[in-house]
Amino acid sequence: MASFQSLPGFRDFYPEEFSRRQHIFRVWRQGASAFGFQEYDAPVLEPLELYKTKSGDEIEAQLFSFTDKGGREVALRPEMTPTVCRMVGAKAGALKRPIKWFSIAEFYRYERAQKGRLRAFNQFNADIFGEAGPEAEIELIALLIQCLNGFGLTKDDFYIRLSDRDLWFFYLEALGLNENQARGILSAIDRYEKMGDDAFTGYTEVHGELAAATKEKVLTFLKIKSLGELESTLAPFKSDKLAVRLADWRKVLGGLAAMKLNDFVAVDLGVVRGLAYYTGFVFEAFDRKGDLRALAGGGRYNDLVKKLGGPDLPAVGFAIGDVTTGLLLEQRGLTPRFVTAPDIYVVIGGELERAAAFGDIHALRGAGWRVEYPFKELAFGKQFKAASESGAKLALIYGGDELAKGVVKIRDLTDRSEQEVPRDQVLVCVRDFLSGH
Ligand code: HAM
């Protein structure tokens, strides 16, 4: 007989994995709520056109796309950014600024499966629309840090590499490169970490040989590790554009330092981001050990809302993935214990007692307690074993003798002490007992 498995890169979430995922979602949601972001959701299936040219060649090649029965070209969403731009763009006039939105959703990319990369994964997306200044970057980077701190991860576990595509363009322009050549350099830099010097082969194929002095200056820029170094490297260029960008850098790093988050952020111009729509600051979060792929990525994308037919609306945002986050939590022993224990296990004598017990079981559940009982008639010994194995804190015993006396026995499963309580007092007594624990 054929045995069916989930598709490569897709996950089954058995209850234990599901509870881990819920924990991750809960921490993200708490972070977003503390920062005053509002939650939204969107369709899983979108017109293919939404991603064409907007997301970039890499994502376009990874789309799960097909023609639907009405002849429409559609794609499973590979990311949220174009969708949220479409949504915000359509109602921008009616939304209070700044627009701070978040979502938790599943995405699909036909990637080669590898550690930390799957074909279906979840992301927490947080974006701010309508704020052109670097205040939005401060808010979002602080939120990103909070969303990882919320798991118990510290500055020793992860950090954020902050970079700037505008700064790159202005710097390359000051070095005498035109926009086309600058784009070529940025895609070489995107590959540089993985490929080393070979990354520039693609550039020379398209744009011709890169002057040795220019390449040297590009590599120097890549090595910059602090705002001070950035300022001194750029000082000889008397460019207004560069001066304005540097002022924004001071604001972002100053704001984060005032929040005591400076240890989480590294100046690192090696991050340029593969997605096509980024315009200014870009950033990525990584584990400190460097074992894992990126935990999160984002940046400013001031042109995308307009490109998708909306108004001219500045925007910046990021997404954290659940796969790398889950791997990092596991590595650091921060995965929560899987708890299935009920509060109360009900031990039932026979069929007659079952009817009496059912009334109380339903009332206890209605009061919010987690209550279990055996479906079938069982010897008392077996039921007590099941009760203690269940992890419940107390057992309620509905035996023939007890019911004849109009009482129920409460057994403390931690020390096995017992007491009898009148049947009509069960709810109150259980509440007193469990709230004392
Ligand atoms: P991204 O860098 O493509 O950005 O993805 C963000 C995060 O999602 C990654 O850092 C990674 O943790 C996770 N991720 C991406 N692809 C996969 C995969 N195949 N398997 C597992 N995890 C994955 C974006 O998606 C942008 N739309 C983020 C953004 C929001 N920019 C502005 N707003």
Side-chain angles (χ1 to χ4, degrees):
M1 204 177 83
S3 76
F4 293 104
Q5 289 181 341
S6 61
L7 290 166
F10 284 73
R11 291 170 288 176
D12 291 328
F13 288 90
Y14 284 81
E16 187 162 356
E17 286 108 41
F18 188 82
S19 85
R20 280 191 214 142
R21 189 178 90 180
Q22 285 301 88
H23 172 66
I24 292 177
F25 289 4
R26 207 175 305 122
V27 169
W28 287 345
R29 202 168 261 124
Q30 270 166 5
S33 144
F35 278 67
F37 281 64
Q38 292 173 8
E39 189 162 5
Y40 66 95
D41 202 0
V44 167
L45 202 61
E46 289 275 26
L48 176 65
E49 196 54 35
L50 190 63
Y51 308 108
K52 281 210 157 159
T53 70
K54 284 114 193 167
S55 294
D57 297 344
E58 195 179 333
I59 283 208
E60 213 181 307
Q62 293 169 344
L63 285 174
F64 275 89
S65 56
F66 58 95
T67 309
D68 78 2
K69 288 177 182 164
R72 296 174 200 88
E73 298 269 3
V74 294
L76 285 172
R77 61 184 174 197
E79 58 159 337
M80 193 59 109
T81 313
T83 299
V84 73
C85 285
R86 166 171 65 69
M87 288 170 66
V88 168
K91 297 216 167 148
L95 299 168
K96 213 168 120 275
R97 314 273 175 95
I99 301 155
K100 305 201 306 187
W101 279 16
F102 84 98
S103 60
I104 295 174
E106 192 169 45
F107 299 90
Y108 311 88
R109 295 184 194 175
Y110 200 88
E111 296 213 46
R112 205 165 44 81
Q114 45 187 307
K115 196 175 164 202
R117 280 286 174 275
L118 296 174
R119 289 181 179 167
F121 54 96
N122 296 288
Q123 280 184 348
F124 166 82
N125 275 262
D127 294 86
I128 298 182
F129 296 87
E131 176 52 65
E135 292 77 11
E137 274 83 349
I138 298 174
E139 179 85 336
L140 282 161
I141 294 171
L143 172 60
L144 169 53
I145 295 169
Q146 180 55 40
C147 283
L148 293 168
N149 282 164
F151 297 109
L153 294 166
T154 68
K155 64 179 168 50
D156 300 325
D157 299 311
F158 75 92
Y159 72 117
I160 291 164
R161 301 164 66 187
L162 180 63
S163 178
D164 183 348
R165 285 178 68 93
D166 271 351
L167 195 70
W168 265 114
F169 277 114
F170 299 158
Y171 177 65
L172 295 172
E173 186 183 76
L175 294 181
L177 299 181
N178 64 32
E179 193 184 327
N180 199 12
Q181 290 168 320
R183 286 194 187 282
I185 296 282
L186 286 202
S187 60
I189 289 161
D190 198 26
R191 296 186 297 262
Y192 187 71
E193 210 154 298
K194 262 192 220 137
M195 298 171 63
D197 224 40
D198 289 345
F200 289 97
T201 313
Y203 177 89
T204 43
E205 275 163 11
V206 179
H207 303 279
E209 207 55 52
L210 183 63
T214 310
K215 188 171 167 190
E216 194 56 42
K217 289 202 166 98
V218 167
L219 294 179
T220 315
F221 210 54
L222 266 181
K223 292 198 188 93
I224 289 175
K225 289 264 175 306
S226 68
L227 182 60
E229 281 176 60
L230 194 56
E231 283 170 329
S232 58
T233 309
L234 296 178
F237 301 95
K238 303 277 173 261
S239 147
D240 288 346
K241 286 183 188 165
L242 282 171
V244 169
R245 285 313 290 161
L246 277 178
D248 280 353
W249 270 84
R250 279 184 217 106
K251 225 178 196 169
V252 171
L253 293 175
L256 291 169
M259 291 181 181
K260 304 193 169 46
L261 299 176
N262 37 323
D263 287 343
F264 288 98
V265 184
V267 176
D268 187 338
L269 295 153
V271 171
V272 290
R273 308 272 299 142
L275 292 161
Y277 45 68
Y278 290 112
T279 51
F281 282 109
V282 282
F283 48 91
E284 283 182 342
F286 283 90
D287 70 300
R288 282 272 181 205
K289 279 197 191 151
D291 289 349
L292 301 170
R293 310 198 48 143
L295 295 162
R300 188 167 274 281
Y301 50 100
N302 283 346
D303 306 333
L304 192 56
V305 177
K306 193 164 182 202
K307 268 194 192 144
L308 292 168
D312 204 349
L313 195 63
V316 48
F318 69 83
I320 321 180
D322 70 326
V323 183
T324 29
T325 302
L327 287 171
L328 182 60
L329 294 182
E330 212 158 292
Q331 278 187 7
R332 299 294 193 274
L334 291 170
T335 304
R337 218 162 46 88
F338 179 49
V339 182
T340 54
D343 299 308
I344 303 158
Y345 193 94
V346 179
V347 172
I348 304 169
E351 279 315 309
L352 218 59
E353 291 77 27
R354 184 168 287 261
F358 269 18
D360 290 349
I361 288 170
H362 196 69
L364 284 162
R365 286 173 167 170
W369 302 111
R370 201 188 296 183
V371 185
E372 292 277 15
Y373 64 92
F375 279 170
K376 296 280 183 319
E377 211 174 315
L378 274 182
F380 272 120
K382 285 207 170 130
Q383 292 193 57
F384 283 121
K385 189 159 175 266
S388 63
E389 281 173 3
S390 76
K393 294 179 203 80
L394 68 81
L396 288 181
I397 302 154
Y398 288 75
D401 294 348
E402 284 83 12
L403 291 187
K405 284 196 283 177
V407 299
V408 173
K409 225 182 251 166
I410 297 188
R411 178 191 278 214
D412 183 335
L413 288 168
T414 47
D415 64 6
R416 299 190 170 204
S417 61
E418 288 184 348
Q419 67 182 96
E420 287 183 347
V421 301
R423 270 209 56 205
D424 58 1
Q425 297 290 305
V426 168
L427 245 80
V428 179
C429 294
V430 162
R431 194 192 57 210
D432 291 348
F433 181 94
L434 286 174
S435 55
H437 259 67

